[in-house]
Amino acid sequence: MRLSRVFFLLGFLGVPTAVVILFILVPAILTLIISFTGLDHRFRWEYVGLENYRKILIDPNIWIFVVNTAIFVVGTLVFNVGVGLFLALLSTHVAEPIGYLVRAVYLLPRVTPSVVFAFIMLWIFSPLDSGVLNSFLRNLGIEPIPWTTGYPWIFLFIVNGLVGCSLGMLIFTSAIKSIPQDYIVAARVDGASTLTIILRIVIPMIRGHIMFVTAYQTLSLITSFEYILLTLDGGPGYYTTEVWALAAFHRAFAQYALSSQYGYAAAMTAFLVASAAILTALYWRAFRIREMISQPKIEL
Amino acid sequence: MARPHGIVVNLVAIAIAAIGMAPFALLILLAFSKSPTSLEGFTLDNFAFLITGKLFTEARYSSIYPDIYVVTLNTLILALSVSGIVVLLSSMAGYVLSRYSVPGRGFMLGLILALHGIPVIILLIGLYFLLRSMGMINSLLGVTMAKAVLDLPLGVWVMKGFYDGVPWDIEIASIVDGAGRLRTWLRIMMPLIRPGIAALAVLEFISGWGEFLLIYTLIFSNTSWTLSMVIRGLIGEMGSVNLNLIAALSLYYFIPVLLFFIFTQKYLLRVSLGGVRG
């Protein structure tokens, strides 16, 4: 290898690698190390072994977090994949400019700053009379409905689902567009209705994509908590919508620094990420992600 | 499949698009509303902060909330730095990963996908202590670096995809003519993938501009706040009192994103897909 080539590779790969190590790998390992300590607001490092993990297992609230995480992941996932599929099917069965408009509009929540989107949704679904839906109902002479306080999960499915559904929508759209027209035309000649074609040809042919989106979003939803933090923040009431990741976040970055339990929170995080990692390994096998990484054609 | 299927389906699609647009239309109406809690009339008063830089005239509030232009400058610095760092480092690493068969290349590509999916929650506590020991806690620099590096795996993956799309012939011609690899990269490859660079730059600007969680966790003093923190603070403090002011500030915060989105959505669709599909 020539010296200039070594320098070239070191510079081009070395600098990105170095920052990734410093700002991703080191923090991740630090979190893991902290999970074996009793670190709190006093910032004293004392090794406590598996004490934090033991405390998690006997925490009376732990099942609330587990159940909440399951509800959150399943509900949002159904919304994400279902609405994503619906939008993809709808936008590919209408005039192209209209289909394009639908896709562009439903991509908006993803690029909107999270605080802004959270604010709009909180206002629309506000349980107060000033909320958009409630002032609409009041004009119709109907009793206001306590949207967020009465149906917090539905509200969270809608907020997170609107942000998340565009991924499925875009992937399904390009999958549907790549289905050979012959199949559709042949089915139509045989007298199949559009609904039959969608159910018998389109959906079976994009099954792989549906599985991929389901897998990908399951994993990201398990550790997701930003929009819950920004809207209901685990409430209303006692841990009603406190998912595992949010509980860990609250333990570490509480409103009052004095109540921060970094060690315990780090252990909760490690627990969560370990379960996500096991799931990822299973998906990796099931979906053969390795095939997406092709070798370069020639080497200069 | 772009066959129009009758008027009804098209009308349904338009209605669905209208529903999707409604939240944003409502935000705009509220930002110009006279009533603090409902849609009523039209006024520019909610945007008075653009002239004075102050959200409130009362002294006790204006000490809590820093000057809006300082906050905007912070937000802008963060967004531009994140965008610059990600574009520069990903166009370097993406080039090598696309063109060289370096040892461990397959492993690196797998690692990039894994890092792309790494949850922020596992990093936050570690980052807090890392930045604290480096003296970068409570500083925009620390947040900028953390944010940029978190987005880097996606950037590398996207840039690699764009380099993969450039035929080898052009590059070989340049190297045969005696230009070195560095020169070829800078003079031949970079201009060829300019659309990719522009798309990633916009995507990362939007990503940095809208960032909330890292700032919420790693910044304590309001002089280093960004717009997301100010809006979050307003929602918490007077979420049901001063809705039209929050809406005006939200709209001000949202407009750059909206403009970028309108002008570059074609590229954005491509990049956000590339991030997960390879």
Side-chain angles (χ1 to χ4, degrees):
Chain A
M1 230 192 273
R2 278 188 306 142
L3 201 61
S4 63
R5 183 187 150 120
V6 173
F7 277 122
F8 182 76
L9 288 181
L10 269 183
F12 270 43
L13 267 188
V15 176
T17 310
V19 292
V20 164
I21 290 175
L22 184 59
F23 288 100
I24 298 185
L25 294 188
V26 169
I29 293 167
L30 260 178
T31 306
L32 198 63
I33 293 174
I34 289 171
S35 78
F36 299 111
T37 71
L39 200 67
D40 59 16
H41 69 277
R42 291 165 300 173
F43 298 117
R44 250 181 270 148
W45 296 74
E46 46 173 348
Y47 178 75
V48 295
L50 292 171
E51 177 61 17
N52 288 323
Y53 292 87
R54 196 186 65 84
K55 274 200 281 186
I56 290 174
L57 291 176
I58 58 166
D59 185 337
N61 289 320
I62 217 68
W63 286 106
I64 302 180
F65 305 148
V66 172
V67 171
N68 282 350
T69 308
I71 294 173
F72 174 67
V73 171
V74 172
T76 311
L77 195 64
V78 169
F79 187 108
N80 272 348
V81 177
V83 173
L85 187 61
F86 170 75
L87 291 172
L89 285 169
L90 182 72
S91 71
T92 47
H93 285 77
V94 294
E96 188 47 33
I98 298 175
Y100 194 86
L101 176 74
V102 170
R103 289 194 294 274
V105 165
Y106 281 89
L107 188 62
L108 259 182
R110 189 179 281 274
V111 296
T112 307
S114 51
V115 284
V116 173
F117 194 65
F119 166 67
I120 305 176
M121 296 312 271
L122 277 174
W123 171 50
I124 290 178
F125 291 98
S126 167
L128 306 174
D129 281 0
S130 56
V132 174
L133 290 176
N134 275 348
S135 56
F136 184 68
L137 289 182
R138 211 184 34 200
N139 285 342
L140 294 177
I142 303 172
E143 276 290 292
I145 296 172
W147 303 97
T148 52
T149 46
Y151 310 92
W153 283 119
I154 309 278
F155 171 71
L156 288 180
F157 297 158
I158 293 174
V159 174
N160 284 278
L162 283 176
V163 173
C165 70
S166 51
L167 179 81
M169 173 185 78
L170 295 178
I171 290 180
F172 300 150
T173 300
S174 68
I176 291 170
K177 280 184 171 170
S178 65
I179 294 174
Q181 275 298 305
D182 315 12
Y183 297 136
I184 314 287
V185 174
R188 212 172 285 287
V189 169
D190 288 345
S193 69
T194 305
L195 189 66
T196 314
I197 292 175
I198 287 174
L199 290 178
R200 296 288 177 80
I201 298 177
V202 176
I203 290 182
M205 286 201 73
I206 63 166
R207 221 186 57 207
H209 294 87
I210 297 176
M211 283 165 67
F212 171 78
V213 171
T214 308
Y216 184 87
Q217 296 211 313
T218 314
L219 295 172
S220 61
L221 283 171
I222 286 178
T223 54
S224 142
F225 64 97
E226 182 169 353
Y227 286 89
I228 308 181
L229 173 75
L230 280 170
T231 52
L232 302 184
D233 201 18
Y238 186 72
Y239 289 153
T240 311
T241 58
E242 185 102 342
V243 295
W244 187 293
L246 185 61
F249 183 82
H250 279 151
R251 292 285 176 293
F253 304 103
Q255 192 134 31
Y256 307 101
L258 286 182
S259 50
S260 296
Q261 302 166 279
Y262 299 107
Y264 189 72
M268 283 190 79
T269 311
F271 223 103
L272 181 70
V273 175
S275 10
I278 293 169
L279 265 178
T280 313
L282 294 176
Y283 284 136
W284 181 279
R285 276 179 183 280
F287 294 104
R288 289 193 293 262
I289 295 171
R290 198 175 288 273
E291 282 169 17
M292 289 160 59
I293 307 159
S294 55
Q295 289 291 316
K297 284 161 210 122
I298 31 171
E299 155 77 355
L300 274 178
Chain B
M1 297 277 299
R3 248 166 52 99
H5 276 261
I7 297 169
V8 179
V9 188
N10 278 289
L11 286 178
V12 169
I14 292 174
I16 298 275
I19 292 173
M21 257 186 277
F24 301 98
L26 286 167
L27 176 76
I28 296 172
L29 289 176
L30 183 62
F32 292 103
S33 171
K34 273 181 183 154
S35 154
T37 55
S38 62
L39 303 178
E40 211 179 280
F42 178 90
T43 175
L44 290 173
D45 290 351
N46 304 329
F47 290 93
F49 65 83
L50 288 179
I51 299 164
T52 59
K54 287 190 174 61
L55 283 169
F56 301 100
T57 40
E58 300 97 320
R60 68 193 168 106
Y61 285 129
S62 45
S63 61
I64 304 174
Y65 293 99
D67 189 280
I68 273 312
Y69 285 108
V70 174
V71 177
T72 307
L73 192 65
N74 285 343
T75 317
L76 193 65
I77 290 172
L78 177 70
L80 288 175
S81 317
V82 167
S83 179
I85 295 171
V86 173
V87 167
L88 178 69
L89 293 184
S90 347
S91 38
M92 286 159 52
Y95 178 64
V96 173
L97 290 171
S98 168
R99 292 316 208 218
Y100 282 83
S101 152
V102 285
R105 179 175 175 279
F107 170 75
M108 263 190 266
L109 291 176
L111 190 67
I112 289 169
L113 279 185
L115 289 177
H116 173 49
I118 200 165
V120 192
I121 180 85
I122 186 86
L123 304 179
L124 284 177
I125 299 173
L127 257 177
Y128 183 88
F129 284 93
L130 177 72
L131 295 181
R132 202 167 168 271
S133 63
M134 291 166 72
M136 280 161 82
I137 197 86
N138 194 20
S139 88
L140 272 179
L141 179 66
V143 171
T144 305
M145 285 312 293
K147 175 69 183 167
V149 177
L150 264 174
D151 282 2
L152 193 56
L154 169 75
V156 174
W157 193 258
V158 168
M159 290 314 279
K160 176 192 165 290
F162 279 105
Y163 285 119
D164 285 346
V166 177
W168 276 93
D169 316 4
I170 301 170
E171 216 177 340
I172 293 173
S174 158
I175 289 171
V176 168
D177 284 351
R181 274 320 271 271
L182 188 64
R183 219 184 142 87
T184 308
W185 171 73
L186 194 65
R187 292 287 167 81
I188 308 290
M189 293 301 273
M190 291 297 270
L192 279 174
I193 57 158
R194 207 180 290 150
I197 294 174
L200 186 64
V202 168
L203 187 76
E204 286 308 320
F205 180 89
I206 292 177
S207 172
W209 182 260
E211 177 59 32
F212 165 71
L213 210 47
L214 289 173
I215 302 160
Y216 183 65
T217 317
L218 304 172
I219 297 237
F220 324 119
S221 55
N222 63 10
T223 45
S224 299
W225 272 8
T226 64
L227 284 162
S228 60
M229 285 299 290
V230 174
I231 293 172
R232 158 78 187 189
L234 286 175
I235 296 173
E237 203 159 332
M238 44 195 66
S240 47
V241 189
N242 267 320
L243 290 178
N244 58 352
L245 177 70
I246 305 178
L249 190 62
S250 295
L251 185 61
Y252 167 71
Y253 184 28
F254 185 43
I255 277 176
V257 177
L258 197 63
L259 290 179
F260 269 134
F261 181 77
I262 289 167
F263 291 113
T264 59
Q265 38 167 309
K266 252 184 194 148
Y267 290 126
L268 284 186
L269 291 177
R270 198 169 155 192
V271 175
S272 48
L273 266 182
V276 290
R277 289 209 319 153

